Amino acid sequence: MSTTRSFVPRGTLGLLALAVLALPPVPDARAQALDAATEAALDAAIAGAHRSEENRARDRWRHPKETLAFFGFRSDMTVVEMLPGGGWYTEILAPALRGKGRLYAAHNGPNAGAYQRRSLGAFLVKLGTAPEIYDEVVVTTFGPPDELAVAPPGSADLVVTFRNVHNWFGSGEDAARLGFKAMYDALKPGGILGVTDHRWPDPATEDASTGYISEARTIEVAESVGFQFVASSDINRNPKDTHDHPRGVWTLPPTLRLGDQDREKYLAIGESDRFTLKFVKPDTATAD
């Protein structure tokens, strides 16, 4: 069951594991109804022949339909997907929004590092080889500190970011704040931000280099730029993940950075334990 939680100030994060109290539960995303048009669009996108078997196999860990339902996704929304990487979620969002909504894919810029350039290039090839799926996707650039306009200011109903925040924290809290500010600026007042990332259970011992981050730190930084925390969900929780792997989160599938070493052990654990958070840009906010 999903719960909302209250958090103590930044200076006492070391005590947070003892201080966090559960508030009355909010409905689990799996119990939330999608409108008929959105449900049909998501079902068709998730089952689409354009998705590889490898990507389909990850649905059991990433729960795309339930996750998007928790965020309040509708097929007529304007949505921003932050740093879509290879486009795993783009494969679902683009066809589900096509014809009714709009999708901005805020990818790396062409002047970023070599890895980021390769990722952007592969993403653009993906879009170009299936125009019947991706022809309406608008590609923008997220390249802090200068390229932060991921969509026209105040235009988006929903911004989603999947497993990106830990990278921002890896570059420092100021970098994370820039990411959240870019998402805040793109949203309409009343718009929703959905965040999923690898969960580190204790903020006192958090180490972003492992790929895990704490819910507490994520919520704190989001709130520092103006977001209001709405709820968390256990949709993407994995209780088998012990969070203590030799190569961090990348020890687990799909990366399996240790190769054949203890492969079956890590396959049995599955993909990482992840938090799923929902925020709102207050109705009273003014787009910059």
Side-chain angles (χ1 to χ4, degrees), residues 203-263:
T205 58
E206 177 188 289
D207 179 356
S209 69
T210 66
Y212 292 97
I213 55 174
S214 72
E215 291 180 71
R217 188 67 48 78
T218 303
I219 292 170
E220 181 194 23
V221 172
E223 290 181 335
S224 77
V225 305
F227 281 110
Q228 292 179 356
F229 176 53
V230 176
S232 63
S233 174
D234 288 339
I235 299 165
N236 296 300
R237 181 181 290 276
N238 180 0
K240 293 182 179 180
D241 184 2
T242 56
H243 311 89
D244 58 354
H245 317 299
R247 297 292 180 89
V249 70
W250 302 281
T251 310
L252 298 174
T255 306
L256 292 169
R257 189 157 288 176
L258 294 180
D260 290 334
Q261 180 182 337
D262 293 325
R263 182 182 182 88

Side-chain angles (χ1 to χ4, degrees), residues 1 27-34 66 69:
M1 183 67 76
D28 189 278
R30 284 161 288 195
Q32 295 181 11
L34 295 163
E66 295 86 354

Side-chain angles (χ1 to χ4, degrees), residues 184 188-191 226 228 280-287:
Y184 185 90
K188 300 173 180 177
Q228 292 179 356
V280 65
K281 179 175 181 174
D283 282 326
T284 56
T286 301

Side-chain angles (χ1 to χ4, degrees), residues 62-144:
R62 303 193 70 174
H63 310 102
K65 183 176 179 180
E66 295 86 354
T67 299
L68 291 171
F70 176 67
F71 294 154
F73 174 83
R74 295 192 321 271
S75 58
D76 61 353
M77 280 180 160
T78 294
V79 178
V80 179
E81 182 185 4
M82 295 292 290
L83 296 174
W88 192 95
Y89 254 102
T90 312
E91 291 181 357
I92 296 168
L93 291 168
L97 291 164
R98 189 172 183 266
K100 292 184 178 180
R102 169 164 289 192
L103 177 61
Y104 290 95
H107 216 295
N108 300 295
N111 296 314
Y115 172 83
Q116 289 82 2
R117 285 186 176 189
R118 289 194 299 272
S119 179
L120 172 62
F123 183 75
L124 294 175
V125 169
K126 182 188 194 81
L127 301 192
T129 53
E132 71 281 5
I133 301 292
Y134 304 114
D135 60 336
E136 297 180 4
V137 177
V138 179
V139 180
T140 60
T141 298
F142 177 68

